[in-house]
Amino acid sequence: VDCDLRGTDLAECGTLKYYNDQFDRLNSKKPQPLREANLEHYFVTTSLDPFIERLAEEGIGSVFTTDSILSHLMTCTRGSYPWDLIIKKRGGVILIDKREESGFDLLTVNETSDKPPNPDDDREENTPHNLAQEATMVDHRFCNQILSDAAGTRELEHDHPFYDPETATRQPAPVAYKYRKWNVGGFTVVARCELNIAERKGGKELLGVAHCLNEYDPKKTGSDWRRELKDNKRSAVVAAELRNNNHKIAKWTAQALLAEADTLRLGFVARKVTRESEGHEIFGVQKYEPSKFANQISLTQDNMWGIVLHFLKAVEEAGDGCYCLMKNPLRPQLQLYEVPEGEFSDSDSEE
């Protein structure tokens, strides 16, 4: 692929907190209870981002999107669940959006397992949608809990682009937004990327991405974290998660690469009681270097950008208009449909 793989930073916004290295010494024999966090998390789509709107007006790029959308496209061959995206092309500019209220930002659970969650499971908390809501909530709480309140903050160049103290009812979660661009096969791709952790190591300031894997029922997943982590078999747990959650982990890795993160941290969080989806415990945190971890899971930037370029060329050939890119729910196939302008407005989404 003819691509500038490193990309270029355009702007940085937001505030980060530093990692609490006490979690590196967390003993799986004595897990730490996961605490609630009353913070606001923003899932602003491309077309509603004022910073992206400004960059588009300045003619900075020809394709605009976010890292969550871009990483999903880059790793879509690993997933099995259906999804859709909205694409608008006008005057040589392509904008890739998600539908509001589509559930696009929910974290899937065991999507790539031989026995994925059953929508008709006799326990409602173990259905795919409820597991996704639980995983997303757990991920937010984990990412906040592993930060130190005593180590200060890392302030970036610009203020948080979505937080308004006059109207907000909650403080924003510590997040850094990096607006970056890449030259890809004749396209200039601009994306908003996220980082959610800072670290100090050897006098250097490192920025990273943190997420957590979560166990819900060892009998259904075939992996008992309490036993395996207790026996120092973390590699076996990671191997099982790479089988069961290959798409999700690949997306997180792609996002770390897009943001040019220095570190990728994965936590291990399990339910306190298997039959209850509220209480959870943290069993440990593993640190990776994004590029090395990408090699470990056979995720190459050439392949990632090759998928994106193939998709962009298809949209370019289709001409100006509004399109819906859909993952076929029954087959590993993507389909691009032209739709009327305004087909997926907020009112339509609510209906």
Side-chain angles (χ1 to χ4, degrees):
V1 178
D2 179 16
C3 173
D4 171 20
L5 297 180
R6 290 185 62 86
T8 304
D9 290 346
L10 299 174
E12 296 181 345
C13 310
T15 302
L16 288 173
K17 285 188 175 181
Y18 289 91
Y19 177 67
N20 185 345
D21 58 13
Q22 290 185 358
F23 283 89
D24 288 338
R25 299 184 290 275
L26 188 63
N27 190 331
S28 59
K29 297 178 183 180
K30 295 182 180 180
Q32 185 170 128
L34 185 69
R35 301 191 303 265
E36 293 187 20
N38 188 30
L39 297 171
E40 189 68 48
H41 293 264
Y42 295 86
F43 300 102
V44 179
T45 192
T46 313
S47 58
L48 298 180
D49 186 323
F51 223 100
I52 285 181
E53 182 180 6
R54 194 184 82 187
L55 293 173
E57 290 174 350
E58 294 174 357
I60 299 296
S62 58
V63 180
F64 295 88
T65 187
T66 67
D67 64 342
S68 63
I69 293 173
L70 199 54
S71 64
H72 195 94
L73 285 172
M74 289 173 159
T75 60
C76 64
T77 58
R78 300 178 182 233
S80 59
Y81 288 163
W83 50 268
D84 60 78
L85 293 170
I86 306 304
I87 302 99
K88 294 181 181 179
K89 181 177 182 292
R90 186 179 294 110
V93 174
I94 299 172
L95 187 146
I96 312 173
D97 248 337
K98 63 184 180 183
R99 285 190 300 113
E100 292 297 308
E101 311 300 332
S102 66
F104 185 84
D105 292 300
L106 292 177
L107 300 177
T108 60
V109 176
N110 284 27
E111 177 184 0
T112 55
S113 169
D114 292 336
K115 296 180 180 179
N118 186 351
D120 300 316
D121 196 288
D122 55 358
R123 299 202 63 82
E124 188 176 359
E125 66 270 19
N126 290 341
T127 60
H129 181 70
N130 286 337
L131 283 173
Q133 289 185 317
E134 176 187 353
T136 305
M137 176 267 294
V138 167
D139 190 68
H140 291 168
R141 292 178 178 178
F142 166 81
C143 291
N144 181 67
Q145 190 164 333
I146 63 173
L147 302 177
S148 171
D149 290 326
T153 59
R154 170 75 178 270
E155 305 290 338
L156 283 93
E157 180 184 3
H158 301 281
D159 293 337
H160 197 297
F162 313 123
Y163 172 67
D164 184 351
E166 295 184 1
T167 59
T169 57
R170 297 189 294 181
Q171 289 293 312
V175 169
Y177 298 102
K178 291 176 71 175
Y179 292 84
R180 313 194 73 232
K181 74 172 183 178
W182 299 261
N183 295 315
V184 187
F187 298 92
T188 301
V189 179
V190 175
R192 182 188 74 232
C193 303
E194 292 189 24
L195 299 152
N196 58 5
I197 192 169
E199 301 184 43
R200 295 186 178 103
K201 182 179 180 180
K204 294 183 178 180
E205 293 271 337
L206 306 179
L207 303 182
V209 173
H211 288 289
C212 76
L213 301 161
N214 63 299
E215 179 193 66
Y216 68 99
D217 188 340
K219 293 181 180 178
K220 294 182 181 294
T221 61
S223 176
D224 188 340
W225 288 8
R226 281 174 170 78
R227 185 186 72 250
E228 293 177 354
L229 292 176
K230 186 177 180 180
D231 295 338
N232 294 319
K233 296 180 179 179
R234 185 172 291 184
S235 59
V237 171
V238 174
E241 287 300 302
L242 285 171
R243 290 193 301 272
N244 296 336
N245 292 287
N246 191 280
H247 188 207
K248 177 169 68 176
I249 295 173
K251 278 183 64 175
W252 287 341
T253 308
Q255 286 176 281
L257 293 173
L258 288 170
E260 214 173 22
D262 299 303
T263 62
L264 171 64
R265 287 189 178 270
L266 296 179
F268 303 91
V269 178
R271 291 177 178 176
K272 286 183 180 179
V273 180
T274 299
R275 301 170 74 87
E276 297 178 6
S277 60
E278 266 303 317
H280 299 81
E281 295 175 316
I282 304 173
F283 282 82
V285 182
Q286 183 77 28
K287 181 180 179 180
Y288 298 96
E289 185 178 323
S291 59
K292 291 182 179 179
F293 188 66
N295 289 334
Q296 181 180 332
I297 64 174
S298 302
L299 182 68
T300 68
Q301 295 221 45
D302 272 343
N303 186 256
M304 287 161 50
W305 283 108
I307 293 172
V308 172
L309 184 58
H310 179 78
F311 157 71
L312 292 177
K313 287 181 176 179
V315 174
E316 185 179 45
E317 292 172 3
D320 286 3
C322 183
Y323 302 90
C324 179
L325 180 68
M326 298 183 65
K327 160 69 169 62
N328 191 307
L330 302 178
R331 297 193 299 274
Q333 184 182 67
L334 295 183
Q335 296 166 309
L336 185 67
Y337 298 97
E338 186 170 8
V339 295
E341 191 81 28
E343 177 73 13
F344 298 101
S345 63
D346 291 344
S347 59
D348 293 331
S349 297
E350 289 170 5
E351 291 173 7

